[in-house]
Amino acid sequence: MGPRHSLLEQIGADIVRFQEATAEFDAAVGEVLALGRAELVCLAQLHFGGPTPLSAVARGTDVARLELAGYVRRESAGSGTRLVLTGHAREWIETLWGPFRTDGFQLMSSLPDADLKVIAGFLTSARAVQDRHASRVAKLLQAPGGSRAARRRGGLSAAALHRVQLFIEAHLARTIRVEELAQRSGLSVFYFTRAFRQSTGMTPHAFVQQRRVERARELLLRTSRSLGDIALEVGFSSQSHFTTVFRRLTGLTPAVLRRGGG
């Protein structure tokens, strides 16, 4: 393996790591704003492109959710309606993306013009390659028995299941809607529910209940907190509801477990 081949492999690996870091950053921003990927794309579209006709908003965007959060508003535009960013959204965009943009600009500004031209040319060519292969993969979705059909017959991908599980662990203390879980898998609620059951052997609701009971079991054995506090900590609406579900899944009440009965 020559030096050039090694360098190309290193660049390829660095590009993948950059993409992963970008995805993680976007995911963190989505958590802060309580938005999914489609909604983040919509905010970027409005931020860089200005007011946008409702018909041209990114596919799959939950416009009502953006309005409810105070990030966009509708306004009449001729015979149609367009979306406009609110001041609230612009403040968040500046807070979350502003420092990133500033650091990136400073990094690029340190390079000579010749290097910047090479980078610009490479990115243009790379984008063309990306578009070509995105089109190739999209065509598979239109073919009989393509990847979408195969995915629907099976379970979630490992990455999608991991995203869903992480979200559940981070939000056990509050109500978790199946729509939120489906959004993180990239599937509709109907297909997500079926795929999740295929992957885990249980419904999303049953899985969440099981994780709540497992978390409660840890707290019962490791802490002296009251049963009521633990019930709220793991997302049950009351101590009685907590006791009912805990006994159904473990065969013991929380009090009996704490006394050493299990």
Side-chain angles (χ1 to χ4, degrees):
M1 183 183 299
R4 180 178 176 81
H5 184 78
S6 298
L7 181 60
L8 289 172
E9 284 204 335
Q10 178 187 333
I11 292 173
D14 285 341
I15 289 174
V16 171
R17 283 192 287 269
F18 180 82
Q19 290 173 323
E20 291 173 346
T22 299
E24 290 177 4
F25 179 83
D26 288 344
V29 168
E31 291 288 341
V32 170
L33 299 179
L35 297 177
R37 176 167 175 75
E39 286 70 48
L40 292 179
V41 170
C42 181
L43 290 186
Q45 181 180 6
L46 295 175
H47 178 64
F48 292 107
T52 302
L54 197 56
S55 59
V57 170
R59 184 180 178 183
T61 301
D62 189 342
V63 175
R65 186 177 183 182
L66 287 170
E67 289 180 295
L68 210 64
Y71 298 138
V72 303
R73 59 181 172 81
R74 303 184 193 216
E75 67 175 26
S76 298
S79 59
T81 302
R82 63 181 185 178
L83 285 187
V84 179
L85 274 185
T86 63
H88 176 60
R90 293 190 184 282
E91 289 177 4
W92 269 117
I93 288 172
E94 188 56 37
T95 297
L96 297 170
W97 281 286
F100 198 167
R101 182 183 63 244
T102 299
D103 286 351
F105 183 79
Q106 289 178 347
L107 180 63
M108 297 296 286
S109 295
S110 66
L111 299 174
D113 289 351
D115 289 351
L116 292 176
K117 289 179 180 179
V118 171
I119 293 173
F122 172 79
L123 290 176
T124 298
S125 299
R127 179 59 187 272
V129 170
Q130 189 179 51
D131 288 345
R132 186 169 71 252
H133 287 285
S135 177
R136 174 180 60 83
V137 172
K139 289 178 180 178
L140 296 177
L141 300 177
Q142 303 167 4
S147 59
R148 178 177 291 178
R151 183 175 65 176
R152 288 175 178 171
R153 286 196 301 271
L156 297 173
S157 69
L161 181 60
H162 185 59
R163 288 196 301 272
V164 170
Q165 289 173 328
L166 285 178
F167 182 84
I168 290 172
E169 294 301 318
H171 298 87
L172 280 179
R174 69 163 177 82
T175 299
I176 298 175
R177 297 182 299 112
V178 69
E179 291 85 358
E180 295 177 298
L181 303 181
Q183 186 177 68
R184 277 149 185 82
S185 73
L187 298 174
S188 69
V189 170
F190 175 79
Y191 289 114
F192 164 74
T193 301
R194 191 164 72 174
F196 186 89
R197 187 164 193 163
Q198 181 72 19
S199 295
T200 65
M202 61 183 74
T203 66
H205 176 72
F207 184 87
V208 170
Q209 295 288 64
Q210 177 177 287
R211 285 302 305 136
R212 285 184 169 135
V213 166
E214 291 171 354
R215 176 78 63 84
R217 185 186 182 95
E218 295 173 6
L219 294 173
L220 287 166
L221 297 176
R222 291 192 296 103
T223 75
S224 59
R225 295 173 60 180
S226 70
L227 299 186
D229 283 348
I230 290 176
L232 295 177
E233 172 71 19
V234 299
F236 288 102
S237 57
S238 66
Q239 183 176 329
S240 61
H241 184 212
F242 168 44
T243 299
T244 298
V245 176
F246 194 94
R247 180 166 48 196
R248 174 164 54 81
L249 294 184
T250 68
L252 303 169
T253 66
V256 169
L257 177 73
R258 173 164 274 176
R259 289 198 300 267

